[in-house]
Amino acid sequence: MFARAERKTLRVAGGLALGGVLAFVGVATVMLLAHAGGGDAPRFDAYIWRVAQFTLMQATLSTGLSLLLAIPVARALARQRDFRGRVWIIRLSVVPLGLPALVAALGIIEVWGRQGVVNDLLRFAGLQNPVSVYGLAGILIAHVFFNLPLAARFLLAALDRIPAEYWLSSANLGMGGGAVFRLIEWPVIRRVLPGIAGLVFMLCATSFTIVLTLGGGPAATTIEVAIYQALRFDFDPQRAVLLAFLQIAVTAALLWLLSLFVRPQEEGATAGRAIRRFDGRRRRLADGVVILVFTLFTAAPLAATLAAGLAADFGRLALDPLLHRALLTSLAISFASASLSLAIALPVVLVPRLAEAGGAGAATRAMGRALPAVGSLILLVPPVVVATGWFLVLRLFGETGRFAPAVITVINALMALPFVVRVLEPAYRTHLARTARLALSLGVTGMHRLLWIDWPALKKPFLTAFAFAMALSLGDLGAVAIFGAEGFVTLPWLLFSRMASYRTADAAGIALILGLICLALTLPSTAAERPTERPSSDA
C-alpha cells in the first residue's frame, strides 16, 4: 500500500503530530493542575453550582426545543418531495452551519430584540415588549436557530433512507397518517434521535459566544463564560482553573454518553426504485405551514443581518485602520490554522491505514490507535479551557498579547481537526482501496503519486476541509476573548467590542463582512454534502 520511504515519512509525521498535540494540550493541562493545587484554592461554592446547573438546564431546554421542532419539519420535507422549493429550503438549513455565532446573534437581536420585528408586531397587537432577547430566552432562540436546521437535516436524511417499497405498501394498505408515523417513521426516528440529541446537547453545553452575547448577566452564565469572566474581569486564575476542570468533566461525560449510541444501520432491503410519498397530498397544507414557519425562523435573522449591514456606513468603515488590521489578522490566523489542521490531519488519517498493513511494527500499530483519539482531543478539552491553560503559562513570561496569534492559531487548528478528519478519512480510505496497490506495483510513489494520482482524486475533500477550517477560525471568539488585548484584534473581537459599546451600525457592517466571508468559504462545499455536525462550540 505504501512504499518504504512513504512508510518512514508517515511514521515521522505521525510522531510529530502525536507529540505536538499532546504537548500543546498537556502543557495547558499541567498549568491548570498547578494552579489548582494551592492550599487556598476555591471550592465548589454556590456560584459555581449555579453556573453548572444553568449550563445543563439551558442545554436540556435547547436540545428539547430543537428536536421537538425538528421532527415535524423533517417529516414535512420528507413528505413533500415534489415541492419545487424543497432543495432551496434544505440549502437554507446549511447556512447556520457556516455562520459565525456572533453574526447570528446580531441577526437574532435585530429580529427578537426590543426594537426588533417580533416586538414591533406584538406592540401593534397591543402588547408591550413581551419578548426579551437577553437571558435564557435569547440563548434558547439562538441555540434553536443553530440546532433546529442541523437536527432536521439529520432526521430528513434518515427518513429519506426508508425504502420506497414501504411507502407503496402503506398506500396499498390504506394507512392513515397516525399509522404511517407509528409503524414506519417513528422506528427510524427513534434509532437516530438519541445520537442527534447527544450531539445537540453537547454543542449547547459548550456554547460560549451565544451565552456571552445574549446571556444578559450573572443569572445566565455557562461554565465557559464563567471561565472568561474569572480571567478577564475578576482575574481569579484559581476559580478559572476550577471551572475549567468542571467543564472537562462535563464534556467527558457527554462524550461518553455519545459513544454509547452507535451509528444506525441502513433501513431495510430495497430494489432501488424512486421514492414516492403517497401520503403527501393529504398533508400538503399543514406541511406547507410547517415549512413556511421553519423558513421564516431560519431566514429572518439572516435577512435582518443583511439589511442592517447594508445600512452601515461602509465608506467610513473602509477607512477604519482598526478594521483593516482586524481583517488582515483574522485572514492570516485562519489561513495558518487551516493549513496546520490539514497538516495534522494527514498523519491522523494515514497512519492507521499504515498500521493495518501487513508487517507493521508494534510502535506503528500503537501510533495508529492513538492518533484518531488525539484528533478528537479538543472535544474533551474545549478551546476555552486550553486557552485558559496557555494564558496562565504565558502570563509568566510577560504580556500575553504578544503570544496570542501563535497560540490562537494552534487552538483553532485543533478546533477544526475533528471536522477535517471526518471529511478526509472516508475519502482517503476509498481512494487508497482503489489506487494504492496499482500505484505501488507501477512504482509511482512520493511526489509523483501525490501530483498524478492523489491530488486529482482528493482535491475536492481537501478544499472542502480547508475552507471549513478557515471559516471556523475566522468566526471564533472563544480563544480570542481569553487573550484579547489592545494590540491584538480580530474581526469577531472587533465586532463584539462594537456591540458592547452600542455602536450597532458599525457592528452590523462588520457582521455582514464577516458573515459573507465565512459563507463564501463554506456554502459551495456544504450545500451538496451530507449533513455534518458543527464542530464549533457555539451552536
Side-chain angles (χ1 to χ4, degrees):
M1 184 175 292
F2 297 100
R4 178 176 298 178
E6 292 174 332
R7 291 198 296 268
K8 182 178 180 180
T9 301
L10 282 177
R11 283 193 290 266
V12 172
L16 290 175
L18 181 63
V21 174
L22 288 178
F24 185 81
V25 178
V27 167
T29 306
V30 168
M31 181 56 67
L32 293 175
L33 287 170
H35 277 75
D40 57 345
R43 299 182 180 274
F44 284 92
D45 54 19
Y47 169 75
I48 293 179
W49 283 118
R50 186 169 67 249
V51 167
Q53 290 171 2
F54 180 81
T55 300
L56 298 178
M57 184 265 290
Q58 62 84 18
T60 301
L61 292 176
S62 298
T63 303
L65 286 172
S66 298
L67 296 181
L68 188 65
L69 297 173
I71 291 175
V73 170
R75 293 184 66 211
L77 289 171
R79 276 193 294 258
Q80 306 304 323
R81 300 184 63 82
D82 297 328
F83 170 50
R84 289 187 178 181
R86 183 177 187 266
V87 64
W88 295 105
I89 301 299
I90 295 174
R91 288 179 179 176
L92 175 65
S93 68
V94 180
V95 174
L97 298 177
L99 197 67
L102 200 55
V103 176
L106 185 63
I108 289 169
I109 292 173
E110 292 287 337
V111 175
W112 296 87
R114 182 176 294 274
Q115 304 300 324
V117 177
V118 173
N119 275 327
D120 286 345
L121 293 175
L122 293 175
R123 277 194 294 269
F124 180 77
L127 300 176
Q128 294 297 320
N129 297 331
V131 176
S132 174
V133 76
Y134 295 103
L136 179 61
I139 294 172
L140 295 180
I141 291 171
H143 282 165
V144 172
F145 169 77
F146 277 113
N147 295 308
L148 167 59
L150 176 66
R153 291 199 79 210
F154 274 120
L155 291 171
L156 178 61
L159 292 173
D160 283 346
R161 288 196 299 267
I162 298 176
E165 290 81 2
Y166 284 36
W167 306 117
L168 183 61
S169 298
S170 69
N172 290 334
L173 295 172
M175 286 187 182
V180 167
F181 175 73
R182 187 176 67 256
L183 299 176
I184 300 179
E185 292 179 321
W186 176 244
V188 174
I189 294 174
R190 183 179 59 197
R191 278 191 283 270
V192 300
L193 202 59
I196 299 173
L199 171 64
V200 173
F201 188 92
M202 180 172 179
L203 293 174
C204 296
T206 57
S207 179
F208 175 78
T209 305
I210 289 297
V211 180
L212 181 65
T213 309
L214 301 177
T221 299
T222 57
I223 298 173
E224 291 200 1
V225 174
I227 294 172
Y228 164 75
Q229 292 171 344
L231 285 179
R232 301 301 301 178
F233 295 124
D234 304 329
F235 198 72
D236 188 350
Q238 290 186 328
R239 180 178 290 274
V241 168
L242 187 64
L243 288 164
F245 280 112
L246 179 60
Q247 181 67 28
I248 292 175
V250 170
T251 308
L254 292 176
L255 288 174
W256 176 75
L257 289 175
L258 280 175
S259 69
L260 299 180
F261 303 113
V262 297
R263 187 179 297 274
Q265 299 297 320
E266 294 292 329
E267 305 293 334
T270 177
R273 65 176 67 189
I275 295 176
R276 292 183 61 193
R277 291 292 299 265
F278 301 95
D279 56 338
R281 299 173 185 174
R282 300 192 302 267
R283 300 279 302 178
R284 188 164 295 171
L285 179 59
D287 288 345
V289 172
V290 171
I291 294 172
L292 178 61
V293 172
F294 169 72
T295 304
L296 290 175
F297 178 79
T298 306
L302 306 176
T305 301
L306 179 62
L310 291 176
D313 187 354
F314 281 101
R316 184 169 55 81
L317 282 176
L319 300 176
D320 187 352
L322 189 59
L323 177 61
H324 299 164
R325 191 164 76 232
L327 178 60
L328 291 176
T329 300
S330 292
L331 290 175
I333 288 178
S334 62
F335 185 87
S337 66
S339 302
L340 179 59
S341 189
L342 280 174
I344 299 172
L346 284 177
V348 170
V349 169
L350 291 177
V351 170
R353 307 283 82 78
L354 177 63
E356 294 169 0
T364 303
R365 291 195 299 270
M367 189 185 302
R369 289 191 296 268
L371 276 171
V374 167
S376 300
L377 187 61
I378 200 65
L379 299 177
L380 176 61
V381 188
V384 170
V385 175
V386 178
T388 301
W390 274 99
F391 178 86
L392 297 174
V393 171
L394 298 177
R395 192 167 61 95
L396 302 176
F397 299 95
E399 176 57 46
T400 57
R402 290 183 299 167
F403 307 98
V407 175
I408 291 174
T409 296
V410 179
I411 291 176
N412 287 349
L414 295 181
M415 179 180 67
L417 187 58
F419 172 82
V420 174
V421 171
R422 184 184 178 93
V423 172
L424 293 183
E425 197 276 333
Y428 246 117
R429 188 193 317 119
T430 302
H431 174 69
L432 289 176
R434 292 173 177 174
T435 65
R437 295 186 184 278
L438 180 59
L440 188 60
S441 65
L442 294 174
V444 182
T445 61
M447 290 300 298
H448 295 293
R449 173 173 166 173
L450 175 64
L451 295 176
W452 297 346
I453 299 176
D454 294 343
W455 179 246
L458 298 171
K459 178 171 62 176
K460 183 176 179 179
F462 258 88
L463 294 179
T464 297
F466 184 86
F468 212 103
M470 194 169 173
L472 283 174
S473 180
L474 272 170
D476 176 64
L477 181 65
V480 177
I482 298 296
F483 286 94
E486 290 296 328
F488 175 73
V489 61
T490 63
L491 275 181
W493 182 248
L494 181 61
L495 172 56
F496 179 73
S497 301
R498 296 291 167 87
M499 291 175 65
S501 59
Y502 300 102
R503 299 171 64 178
T504 55
D506 286 355
I510 296 170
L512 181 59
I513 295 171
L514 178 60
L516 289 178
I517 294 174
C518 291
L519 291 179
L521 287 169
T522 57
L523 279 186
S525 58
T526 57
E529 298 289 333
R530 295 188 312 171
T532 181
E533 65 266 26
R534 180 184 178 91
S536 158
S537 62
D538 293 292

